Amino acid sequence: MKKRMNLKALKSLTAAVLLIAATSISLYAAEWKYAMGEGESDPQGIYAMAFKNFIEENSRHTIKIYPVGSLGEETDMMEQTKAGILQFLGQSTGYMGGTIPEMDLFTLPYVMPTDTKQLDYFFKHSKAINEMLPPIFNEHGLELLSIFPEGEMAVTTFEEFHSPADLKGKKMRVMPGSPILVETYKAFGASPVPMTWGDLIGALKTNMVDGQENPTVWIEAYDLDNLTKVLTYTGHGHFNASASANKKFFDELGERDKKLIRSAAEHAHKIILEEAEKLDAYGIGRIVRTNPDYKIVTLTEKERAPFKEAAKAVQKSFASKSASNKKILDQMMADLKEAEAKTK
Ligand code: 6CS
């Protein structure tokens, strides 16, 4: 009888301990910091807000979002994330190639398609992104969560250009973290000027630069069309962004929180990909409506030919920088071929 009593007491004690442990885990509430290179209504903000809402609706954790400028320049944020000052980072890929060389994959000229259906398929199924980049991010102390598109690159300048000769000597601002963007605009005949976003508006107003590139949704949102005279579609590139976490922070989480973060990233990725299909049309539509005199030029295939020819050397240069660059570029080309075939 006594023995049975002890066993019963032991069982209820164990159950109580397990219940306290379970509730204490679920009651554990942290505030995680998420910095990004854009504002809350921009594409990176749409992703970040969807990520935040998912985390806060499915746990007791909260996410504090720091839009661009609130914690310094976009260039500082990767270091702050790697140092663990921030738990999450939303960053434009054009700021990352200098630190993670393989990330210049996304700034290569005439590699990414401009067709939104192909892009959607690519960003959902790419082996280069989903299998090859995560271990590379880990080597840099980061845990990759997502990479997504923000729109076709459009070039805004003060004078029309239709050939590399027209760009000779033109000081073209490029995002500051990408050796490939510098090589690209040199190959296009221009004089590239790496510059953070925070310095660009002033540089355009004082003619320190003669032009810049960005997707139309950004050009319109930040009034770049009113600071230049003509917007040119060259078809050479696409603006992409990433979301990642500090690896040490992520690794030290329990399985429940790791799963929560992965699910939040998946949810946000789905939302921004749906949004991304509309961004280009939305951006150019608003520019045409709000700035009807602004000149829009679309280079013909004939006019694009010398730019495409020049781009081949830049693609070769990227692949020659390391075996890893070559391997991931080969995989990306295969992924893009599959995306084209599956979306015909
Ligand atoms: O041109 C730039 O630097 C900025 N452009 C975009 C589309 N997002 C953030 C980035 O800093």
Side-chain angles (χ1 to χ4, degrees):
M1 181 62 180
K2 199 163 173 308
K3 214 169 164 193
R4 202 175 297 153
M5 278 297 284
N6 285 348
L7 195 61
K8 201 161 170 283
L10 182 67
K11 271 185 182 170
S12 49
L13 181 67
T14 315
V17 166
L18 285 175
L19 187 66
I20 290 163
T23 43
S24 61
I25 292 169
S26 62
L27 287 178
Y28 156 59
E31 181 183 77
W32 292 331
K33 296 183 179 66
Y34 186 131
M36 60 182 176
E38 295 181 352
E40 289 188 9
S41 59
D42 299 318
Q44 289 176 30
I46 295 169
Y47 180 96
M49 292 305 289
F51 182 85
K52 169 185 168 74
N53 294 338
F54 189 97
I55 294 281
E56 294 180 353
E57 283 160 17
N58 293 284
S59 76
R60 295 169 62 83
H61 302 312
T62 53
I63 301 271
K64 185 160 175 41
I65 290 183
Y66 295 89
V68 62
S70 55
L71 281 185
E73 284 285 358
E74 184 162 358
T75 39
D76 313 322
M77 295 188 307
M78 185 188 285
E79 288 322 307
Q80 290 165 343
T81 307
K82 288 168 77 167
I85 298 165
L86 298 168
Q87 282 71 48
F88 297 102
L89 169 65
Q91 184 144 64
S92 315
T93 56
Y95 282 70
M96 304 177 83
T99 313
I100 306 177
E102 292 85 349
M103 285 303 283
D104 251 348
L105 194 65
F106 298 101
T107 54
L108 280 169
Y110 293 106
V111 169
M112 296 290 289
T114 51
D115 174 89
T116 53
K117 290 274 177 261
Q118 287 181 38
L119 285 161
D120 183 70
Y121 183 94
F122 169 74
F123 281 104
K124 280 177 183 158
H125 301 93
S126 161
K127 289 191 181 66
I129 294 178
N130 298 317
E131 293 172 19
M132 296 178 78
L133 276 181
I136 291 169
F137 267 63
N138 286 172
E139 286 164 23
H140 292 273
L142 295 169
E143 186 70 25
L144 177 61
L145 298 176
S146 295
I147 293 183
F148 53 86
E150 295 195 25
E152 179 180 354
M153 276 303 198
V155 185
T156 67
T157 48
F158 295 101
E159 294 162 24
E160 275 195 52
F161 69 92
H162 295 265
S163 70
D166 291 345
L167 282 180
K168 189 156 177 46
K170 294 293 180 202
K171 300 185 296 293
M172 294 299 286
R173 180 266 177 173
V174 294
M175 283 181 275
S178 165
I180 285 298
L181 283 176
V182 172
E183 290 183 36
T184 296
Y185 272 88
K186 271 189 187 149
F188 284 0
S191 304
V193 181
M195 182 185 287
T196 63
W197 165 248
D199 294 339
L200 176 57
I201 302 287
L204 286 168
K205 284 179 177 168
T206 57
N207 292 99
M208 257 178 67
V209 292
D210 301 308
Q212 63 87 40
E213 61 171 14
N214 254 298
T216 53
V217 68
W218 184 266
I219 289 168
E220 190 277 328
Y222 292 91
D223 230 22
L224 295 178
D225 55 314
N226 287 314
L227 289 171
T228 51
K229 294 276 182 272
V230 54
L231 178 149
T232 304
Y233 284 111
T234 56
H236 76 277
H238 208 87
F239 191 99
N240 305 292
S242 65
S244 57
N246 171 283
K247 182 176 182 322
K248 187 172 178 297
F249 151 75
F250 186 81
D251 288 349
E252 289 173 357
L253 291 172
E255 283 316 304
R256 179 196 182 101
D257 281 342
K258 281 179 182 160
K259 191 172 176 316
L260 170 73
I261 288 169
R262 288 265 179 239
S263 306
E266 252 170 67
H267 168 72
H269 195 240
K270 187 169 170 296
I271 286 185
I272 191 57
L273 284 183
E274 282 162 13
E275 204 56 36
E277 301 232 12
K278 302 173 260 183
L279 292 174
D280 280 340
Y282 176 85
I284 194 65
R286 277 188 65 86
I287 289 172
V288 168
R289 252 193 329 280
T290 57
N291 193 349
D293 300 332
Y294 193 51
K295 186 132 179 72
I296 312 284
V297 172
T298 299
L299 294 191
T300 64
E301 275 313 311
K302 192 161 174 284
E303 290 171 327
R304 293 181 188 203
F307 290 103
K308 284 185 176 177
E309 190 55 34
K312 286 177 187 165
V314 182
Q315 294 161 14
K316 278 204 187 82
S317 163
F318 172 83
S320 70
K321 292 183 196 295
S322 73
S324 175
N325 275 22
K326 176 160 184 358
K327 198 164 156 235
I328 201 164
L329 177 56
D330 290 347
Q331 182 58 56
M332 181 168 183
M333 299 307 256
D335 295 342
L336 290 168
K337 229 189 193 76
E338 183 183 320
E340 192 181 358
K342 295 276 188 186
T343 53
K344 268 202 179 356

